[in-house]
């Protein structure tokens, strides 16, 4: 199971190269779980660190969680390094903000199954922005 979760984490970083295209009108549903005030929010091109827990909308089963590894995922948001649903749903966050992202299949893994994730799955991610590289505490 640990190997499968590691594969899913790596796939988060590689899926944009599959050429998935979202159907017109599909978007990420965003629910704010915890919001903090800040001066500096995440923007396209920021290297961010995110803790997350991913579950299947169909049955609630967890397929991956950075919390279990004790280390957030680091990537550049808005540059196609992760699934489209993350690039869309992780913009305009303050460090410490928590969101629940409901990602339709076209903005996730699409028609391809990936480890414990069946094809055409709607995904639910609880995410927490842990940091923005190069942004000091006084700027937050």
């Amino acid at each position: 199971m640990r190997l499968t979760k590691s594969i899913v984490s790596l796939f988060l970083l590689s899926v944009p190269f599959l050429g998935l295209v979202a159907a017109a009108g599909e978007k990420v549903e965003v629910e704010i779980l915890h919001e903090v005030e800040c001066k500096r929010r995440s923007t396209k091109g920021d290297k961010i660190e995110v803790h997350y827990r991913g579950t299947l909308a169909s049955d609630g089963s967890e397929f991956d969680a950075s919390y279990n590894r004790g280390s957030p995922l680091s990537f550049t948001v808005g540059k196609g390094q992760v699934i489209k649903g993350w690039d869309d749903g992780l913009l305009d966050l303050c460090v410490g903000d928590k969101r629940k992202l409901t990602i339709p299949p076209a903005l996730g893994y699409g028609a391809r199954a990936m480890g414990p994730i069946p094809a055409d799955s709607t995904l639910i991610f609880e995410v927490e922005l842990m940091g923005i590289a190069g942004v000091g505490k006084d700027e937050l």
Side-chain angles (χ1 to χ4, degrees):
M1 185 69 151
R2 176 174 270 170
L3 178 60
T4 301
K5 288 184 178 187
S6 295
I7 291 170
V8 171
S9 295
L10 291 173
F11 194 64
L12 276 172
L13 293 172
S14 64
V15 77
F17 302 107
L18 295 176
L20 299 176
V21 177
E26 287 198 80
K27 62 181 181 176
V28 175
E29 180 183 315
V30 177
E31 178 184 341
I32 297 170
L33 302 177
H34 178 76
E35 188 172 33
V36 298
E37 293 293 319
C38 68
K39 298 178 207 170
R40 173 67 160 78
R41 295 179 171 273
S42 61
T43 60
K44 185 176 181 178
D46 283 339
K47 185 171 185 179
I48 62 173
E49 290 188 338
V50 178
H51 259 311
Y52 66 92
R53 181 173 326 286
T55 58
L56 299 175
S58 61
D59 65 6
S61 63
E62 182 178 295
F63 57 83
D64 192 19
S66 65
Y67 294 104
N68 298 345
R69 291 184 295 280
S71 178
L73 182 66
S74 179
F75 64 95
T76 303
V77 69
K79 296 289 187 177
Q81 295 179 350
V82 293
I83 59 176
K84 178 74 170 131
W86 272 36
D87 269 344
D88 292 349
L90 294 175
L91 295 172
D92 202 34
L93 281 167
C94 292
V95 172
D97 278 357
K98 295 180 182 181
R99 289 182 179 174
K100 177 179 169 184
L101 307 176
T102 302
I103 301 175
L107 299 176
Y109 301 111
R112 296 180 187 225
M114 180 59 190
I117 303 171
D120 297 315
S121 291
T122 296
L123 308 174
I124 307 222
F125 284 97
E126 291 178 14
V127 297
E128 178 180 5
L129 184 61
M130 303 303 292
I132 303 172
V135 177
K137 293 193 182 292
D138 59 328
E139 297 176 72
L140 299 173

